[in-house]
Amino acid sequence: MQLHDVWFVLIAVLWTGYFFLEGFDFGVGVLTKLLARDRREKRVLINTIGPVWDGNEVWLLTAGGATFAAFPDWYATLFSGFYLPLLVILICLIIRGVAFEYRHKRPEDRWQTNWEHAIFWTSLIPAFLWGVAFANIVRGVAIDRDKEYVGSFLDLLNVYSLLGGLVTLSLFTFHGAVFVSLKTVGDIRERSRKLAKVLGLLTAVLALGFLAWTQFSRGDSTSLIAMAVAVAALIGALACNQVGREGWSFALSGVTIAAVVAMFFLTLFPNVMPSSLDDAWSLTVTNASSSPYTLKIMTWCAAVATPLVLLYQGWTYWVFRKRIGTQHIADAH
């Protein structure tokens, strides 16, 4: 296996980690409108991700940085062709971070309500747009012989990609509901389990159609295995949620996300961005990669830094592992 193949796999792993961790972040943000009945319950939901949301976003920065360094042509074509949706995602992530920090700075009801609206919309929009973006990458976009995107923004809003957006939105929200049931106590825990059942069934319908479409149009035997794992894990997550095994349900919903991301990358390889104009103009792991020397340096740096980051983030989750409920929320001033 060549180094550019190794870095293709590593980037897939980074995106898997990002969607696994930030996925329940986005889901909890959406649930502040769907699940919480009052401000105290919204504070419970936000506090479940309060210590970890910013660490989860590091995976996105690492995935973007690794793509830039390992596959500069992929990075350039992706960010020029998908400029508007990626800019919207970036703005949402900035506003979302500010909302978490500023929401409690003033006691006025209007102030806190506006920031809670911001948390909801800046969680929902990226959860949807990430699915749109990756569905378009798998489907193929208009790339010419100079490795430049020559399509328009409206070309990205096709039926397949919009379905992909709905799949990621529903899957992340289900993942978030399972996480809430794992991290809370009392009535909100029971209601999150009931909502997770509904969201899981909706996700199953949307995901089955989308993954079958992907397999039929781009898949092979390996992607079919990933699809089977995703479907089986989602069914298992629903079953565990039904019997109150929140830990297993959360783990299996995470496996579902990992299998879906794996299916995306398996259908891509050896391409990184297929061209819908001519297969010969597609970006591949070979023609879009950096030099072997650059990849070698990156590999050594990753080998040293990655275990340290994983240990630190794992320690953070361990410290904040206990459940919380409305009884743990202090009265507002």
Side-chain angles (χ1 to χ4, degrees):
M1 181 181 285
Q2 301 292 322
L3 277 179
H4 50 65
D5 298 327
V6 172
W7 274 98
F8 179 83
V9 174
L10 291 178
I11 289 172
V13 171
L14 291 171
W15 279 110
T16 300
Y18 174 66
F19 287 141
F20 179 93
L21 297 173
E22 190 82 316
F24 70 75
D25 270 4
F26 289 146
V28 172
V30 174
L31 291 173
T32 57
K33 292 286 187 185
L34 301 182
L35 181 63
R37 292 175 173 172
D38 52 33
R39 173 146 297 137
R40 186 181 290 268
E41 290 192 350
K42 289 181 181 178
R43 291 170 65 188
V44 170
L45 294 181
I46 294 171
N47 285 357
T48 61
I49 59 174
V52 298
W53 68 267
D54 47 355
N56 294 343
E57 290 187 354
V58 171
W59 288 79
L60 173 62
L61 300 176
T62 309
T67 305
F68 171 77
F71 300 98
D73 288 334
W74 183 13
Y75 181 92
T77 304
L78 176 64
F79 277 79
S80 60
F82 292 39
Y83 180 82
L84 184 56
L86 292 179
L87 177 62
V88 171
I89 291 174
L90 177 60
I91 293 173
C92 285
L93 294 180
I94 293 172
I95 296 175
R96 188 167 174 267
V98 173
F100 283 133
E101 299 297 334
Y102 275 47
R103 178 187 56 85
H104 63 282
K105 296 298 184 182
R106 289 171 56 179
E108 291 88 346
D109 182 74
R110 183 175 180 181
W111 172 271
Q112 296 193 9
T113 298
N114 287 338
W115 286 119
E116 287 162 2
H117 287 323
I119 291 173
F120 171 75
W121 287 109
T122 56
S123 299
L124 184 148
I125 293 172
F128 176 75
L129 288 181
W130 279 126
V132 172
F134 269 84
N136 273 297
I137 294 174
V138 172
R139 176 177 178 266
V141 293
I143 300 174
D144 64 11
R145 66 173 67 249
D146 297 320
K147 302 179 182 178
E148 294 182 359
Y149 177 74
V150 293
S152 66
F153 171 70
L154 293 179
D155 292 335
L156 303 177
L157 303 179
N158 51 79
V159 176
Y160 176 76
S161 66
L162 294 176
L163 178 58
L166 292 176
V167 169
T168 54
L169 175 58
S170 62
L171 180 55
F172 291 167
T173 308
F174 168 68
H175 193 43
V178 175
F179 178 76
V180 170
S181 68
L182 177 64
K183 289 289 293 179
T184 58
V185 294
D187 180 60
I188 193 169
R189 174 188 178 188
E190 297 302 320
R191 284 189 284 115
S192 65
R193 283 178 52 197
K194 292 179 181 178
L195 183 58
K197 178 181 178 181
V198 177
L199 292 169
L201 293 174
L202 174 62
T203 301
V205 173
L206 294 172
L208 187 59
F210 177 74
L211 296 179
W213 191 346
T214 303
Q215 177 63 29
F216 180 78
S217 59
R218 290 268 180 186
D220 56 18
S221 58
T222 56
S223 62
L224 181 61
I225 294 173
M227 176 182 170
V229 171
V231 173
L234 182 56
I235 294 173
L238 279 166
C240 291
N241 176 73
Q242 186 67 20
V243 297
R245 300 297 298 270
E246 291 102 341
W248 280 104
S249 183
F250 179 71
L252 288 171
S253 66
V255 171
T256 304
I257 293 174
V260 171
V261 177
M263 186 177 181
F264 282 160
F265 280 87
L266 286 170
T267 55
L268 278 176
F269 188 81
N271 295 323
V272 293
M273 280 192 78
S275 173
S276 60
L277 303 179
D278 190 327
D279 287 339
W281 298 344
S282 297
L283 300 181
T284 68
V285 293
T286 303
N287 65 23
S289 69
S290 295
S291 67
Y293 183 69
T294 300
L295 297 177
K296 184 177 181 180
I297 293 176
M298 290 176 60
T299 303
W300 280 107
C301 292
V304 174
T306 302
L308 297 177
V309 173
L310 292 175
L311 285 172
Y312 172 77
Q313 195 163 22
W315 175 80
T316 303
Y317 277 90
W318 175 255
V319 169
F320 295 101
R321 67 189 180 278
K322 293 187 177 181
R323 297 175 182 265
I324 62 173
T326 53
Q327 67 271 27
H328 300 115
I329 303 298
D331 292 332
H333 295 291

